[in-house]
Amino acid sequence: MTTLVNSITLEAFLQLPETKPASEYINGKITQKPMPQGEHSLLQVELCQAINQIAKPQKTALAFPELRCIFGGAAIVPDIAVFRWERIPREPSGRITNRFETYPDWAIEILSPDQTQAKVLRKLLHCSQNGTELGWLIFPEDASILTIFPNQRVEMLTATDPLPVLSNIDLSLTVEEVFSWLTL
């Protein structure tokens, strides 16, 4: 993660051209996300598919990869942002909006080798402070997942520990199952 600019307003940040990989704005600073690598990309794809396979047909939730969410004075791009179906921003016609000016119900981050745990954890704590019900911080290096609940209660899960998901999603996963996706 690289810090690009200091002391800029959220409104000014939102006027800047998009970057690849995405840039985020939190606590008055712009930070560019690292370029995803193999493990990160595969975990992101598999998790989105697992969530959407269960939640989308039932219209209970939808998982979005790399979706900018603007809320609480920040503009963040979780690796996966999951929204309960009824909270997905829509136009009056019912069509999904391009701009999500709200927090995700479930934010998932996958730690990349060149990211600091503190920066990613701060982003998830910001989500938790602003309405997000559940956060996951996935640590590929040691096959563990830190979960963040309301009131910023955290729990580190490993091995056969079952993973918490949003209450209306009928998905059962263990930490081992998530990391098994990395073996081809």
Side-chain angles (χ1 to χ4, degrees), residues 96-110:
I96 192 170
T97 63
N98 273 329
R99 193 163 161 160
F100 278 51
E101 295 188 2
T102 188
Y103 58 87
D105 295 297
W106 177 9
I108 301 172
E109 290 290 340
I110 304 161

Side-chain angles (χ1 to χ4, degrees), residues 1 3 24-27 29 31 71 74 76 109 111 115-130 137 146 148 152:
M1 244 189 230
T3 301
E24 300 176 299
Y25 176 89
I26 192 164
N27 297 327
K29 295 187 172 114
T31 305
F71 64 94
I76 65 164
E109 290 290 340
L111 192 68
Q115 278 182 308
T116 66
Q117 294 175 19
K119 281 186 181 181
V120 181
L121 185 55
R122 270 194 293 274
K123 183 167 47 167
L124 287 171
L125 291 173
H126 175 81
C127 290
S128 178
Q129 292 164 354
N130 287 279
L137 176 51
L146 180 81
I148 302 169
Q152 300 184 354

Side-chain angles (χ1 to χ4, degrees), residues 9 12 17 20 23 25 35 44 57 61 67 75 97 106-107 112 122 157 160:
T9 66
K20 288 216 180 234
S23 291
Y25 176 89
M35 182 63 74
Q44 187 176 31
L67 176 70
T97 63
W106 177 9
S112 294
R122 270 194 293 274
L157 303 174
T160 59

Side-chain angles (χ1 to χ4, degrees), residues 37-46 49 176-184:
Q37 297 179 22
E39 288 182 344
H40 182 285
S41 292
L42 187 55
L43 287 171
Q44 187 176 31
V45 166
E46 292 289 343
Q49 287 176 350
E176 279 181 346
E177 288 172 316
V178 168
F179 289 104
S180 74
W181 296 333
L182 297 176
T183 304
L184 303 178

Side-chain angles (χ1 to χ4, degrees), residues 7-19:
S7 303
I8 185 172
T9 66
L10 175 59
E11 294 74 28
F13 168 76
L14 293 172
Q15 299 302 315
L16 296 173
E18 287 293 336
T19 61

